[in-house]
Amino acid sequence: MARKTPEIPGSSLADIAFLLLIFFLVTTTMDIDMGITRKLPPPPKEETEIPDIKERNVFKILINKNDRLLVEDKPGNIRTLREKVKEFVDNPYGKDNLSIQKTKNIEHLGKVEVSEGVISLKNDRGTSYEMYIKVQNELAAAFNELKNELAKEKFGIKYEDISNQDYIDAIDKAIPVAISEAEPENVGG
Amino acid sequence: MGKFRKKGKKETPGISTASLPDIIFMLLFFFMVSTVMRTESLLVQVRAPGATEVQKLEKKSLVSFINIGPPKDENLGTKPRIQLNDQFATVADVREFIHAERQALDENERQFMTTSLKVDKETNMGIVTDVKQELRQVGAFKINYSTRRVNELNY
């Protein structure tokens, strides 16, 4: 009588397949593209007038071809940019050289002060993309921090943790991300 | 009558798990096939800059990519070039590219179209500005500067 060869256990096959499955699941979701989202303005029409914006409502940032900053007509530093932008938009002490605050009644939030300030960003053709992204990142960070502060104050949670779309819209309305990019030109060095 | 009484307790047979690997394999193949990665061969070198405040790009089917960077082939010089689809392009080609991408989408999805700019960090803004101006002209206003997520930027 021939000896029976013992059967190879097949129960571990499922585990191996599971491992592979999880590997593919994880590696394919890691490929998510990330970035800073911005909205471009529509192209200028000839008949449109330049909107009348008060000087104090504009926060000017210039980046020259050597990646140096000029913030509000003074040489600036990327490290202090975030705080300066926050102060400009928020204007907590009502200074008359920072943005004008208008009290608005927004649903879910009640009366809040909405800034009329606009960040004007201008760069040279020779500015490096890295520096440009750094500045954009600082601007995004400033607005995100302001949104977080407001969300904490009103709802007790961070802005990114809000799940109710109405609340998100309300915060977005209270802190509009107003970044204006000038028509390109050579600002030089 | 006791003839038909079964001996001992009746045991419920265990459910066979022999088909489990097959089911898992099916799932595995489904994921392997359905997550075809964009196998667009990059002709330009794109080292994305880092940023802390990044957002995820949602709905990949609505995103068209524009790559800008120095060519990988050193014989083509170091000046940054634009890559659309699988070939080098000029700023003037951006318009047609966006039109084609828009045509490929459903009518009600066109307004959500996003253009992702994948730009090498050592590129000058000149070429990026030109592309942005072109995007404004064709009405592709939603853009995304592709970046890596970093926890802290060193200045």
Side-chain angles (χ1 to χ4, degrees):
Chain A
M1 204 177 117
R3 229 173 103 199
K4 247 191 180 173
T5 43
E7 239 179 279
I8 301 165
S11 56
S12 57
L13 196 61
D15 301 286
I16 296 163
F18 255 125
L19 262 172
L20 274 170
L21 179 67
I22 289 162
F23 169 75
F24 272 95
L25 272 172
V26 170
T27 49
T28 46
T29 48
M30 261 166 69
D31 203 33
I32 290 173
D33 275 290
M34 300 207 209
I36 300 171
T37 306
R38 285 277 168 269
K39 216 166 168 136
L40 294 171
K45 291 190 189 99
E46 273 166 37
E47 63 264 33
T48 39
E49 285 171 40
I50 300 159
D52 192 28
I53 299 176
K54 285 197 183 81
E55 176 71 31
R56 60 175 280 201
N57 271 338
V58 181
F59 188 85
K60 280 180 282 184
I61 305 170
L62 258 81
I63 322 171
N64 77 359
K65 70 174 176 18
N66 299 323
D67 291 351
R68 299 278 186 151
L69 289 177
L70 195 69
V71 180
E72 289 282 66
D73 301 323
K74 284 189 213 92
N77 191 319
I78 186 100
R79 269 178 233 140
T80 55
L81 188 64
R82 188 185 302 197
E83 282 310 311
K84 275 190 174 164
V85 170
K86 274 178 76 177
E87 198 189 353
F88 167 78
V89 175
D90 200 27
N91 198 0
Y93 306 115
K95 282 188 192 158
D96 59 4
N97 57 345
L98 301 175
S99 70
I100 297 173
Q101 307 286 318
K102 239 190 190 157
T103 309
K104 276 189 190 164
N105 210 343
I106 293 173
E107 223 182 317
H108 304 301
L109 295 177
K111 280 204 167 76
V112 280
E113 306 234 297
V114 179
S115 170
E116 289 188 339
V118 176
I119 314 289
S120 162
L121 179 60
K122 210 174 198 177
N123 60 272
D124 185 72
R125 294 185 67 87
T127 307
S128 83
Y129 183 69
E130 193 176 17
M131 187 62 187
Y132 176 77
I133 287 297
K134 268 184 192 170
V135 172
Q136 283 278 18
N137 186 53
E138 287 307 303
L139 295 181
F143 280 107
N144 281 347
E145 279 179 20
L146 286 172
K147 281 180 181 178
N148 270 339
E149 282 165 21
L150 187 67
K152 274 238 172 87
E153 186 194 320
K154 298 286 179 187
F155 307 124
I157 46 172
K158 277 168 128 185
Y159 174 70
E160 58 224 55
D161 295 336
I162 305 175
S163 50
N164 190 333
Q165 189 62 39
D166 289 345
Y167 290 176
I168 295 175
D169 290 344
I171 299 267
D172 285 344
K173 226 182 258 176
I175 300 169
V177 180
I179 299 172
S180 153
E181 286 189 60
E183 297 293 316
E185 59 179 278
N186 286 317
V187 290
Chain B
M1 289 308 252
K3 239 186 204 169
F4 299 109
R5 182 164 296 154
K6 278 169 189 151
K7 279 175 212 149
K9 227 177 158 190
K10 196 179 161 192
E11 262 180 72
T12 44
I15 301 165
S16 164
T17 53
S19 55
L20 191 63
D22 302 281
I23 297 164
I24 302 303
F25 264 117
M26 239 169 58
L27 269 173
L28 176 65
F29 287 134
F30 169 74
F31 273 100
M32 278 173 74
V33 171
S34 64
T35 54
V36 178
M37 285 173 243
R38 268 182 87 96
T39 47
E40 187 187 58
S41 57
L42 273 176
L43 299 171
V44 292
Q45 194 182 14
V46 175
R47 287 158 299 170
T52 54
E53 313 292 316
V54 294
Q55 289 157 293
K56 273 184 205 160
L57 255 183
E58 279 162 37
K59 289 229 172 161
K60 268 194 146 180
S61 58
L62 298 177
V63 182
S64 28
F65 294 94
I66 297 178
N67 299 298
I68 304 172
K72 274 189 178 160
D73 188 351
E74 279 171 18
N75 299 327
L76 294 169
T78 54
K79 243 183 105 182
R81 302 273 295 268
I82 303 168
Q83 185 194 352
L84 302 171
N85 291 331
D86 265 330
Q87 54 197 3
F88 288 119
T90 59
V91 174
D93 297 328
V94 171
R95 196 175 287 237
E96 209 169 305
F97 170 73
I98 293 294
H99 277 307
E101 292 278 309
R102 200 177 283 160
Q103 285 300 321
L105 292 178
D106 266 2
E107 214 158 300
N108 50 353
E109 284 180 333
R110 282 184 194 160
Q111 49 175 322
F112 301 115
M113 201 179 108
T114 310
T115 313
S116 174
L117 296 175
K118 295 192 160 195
V119 186
D120 188 80
K121 60 183 173 186
E122 274 166 33
T123 314
N124 286 343
M125 277 306 287
I127 190 164
V128 183
T129 309
D130 290 342
V131 170
K132 270 164 65 186
Q133 287 300 100
E134 205 64 22
L135 289 176
R136 276 176 72 186
Q137 295 293 335
V138 287
F141 299 133
K142 270 186 87 175
I143 59 166
N144 182 288
Y145 302 106
S146 186
T147 54
R148 280 179 300 113
R149 177 193 282 252
V150 290
N151 288 328
E152 214 163 309
L153 280 175
N154 43 334
Y155 301 116

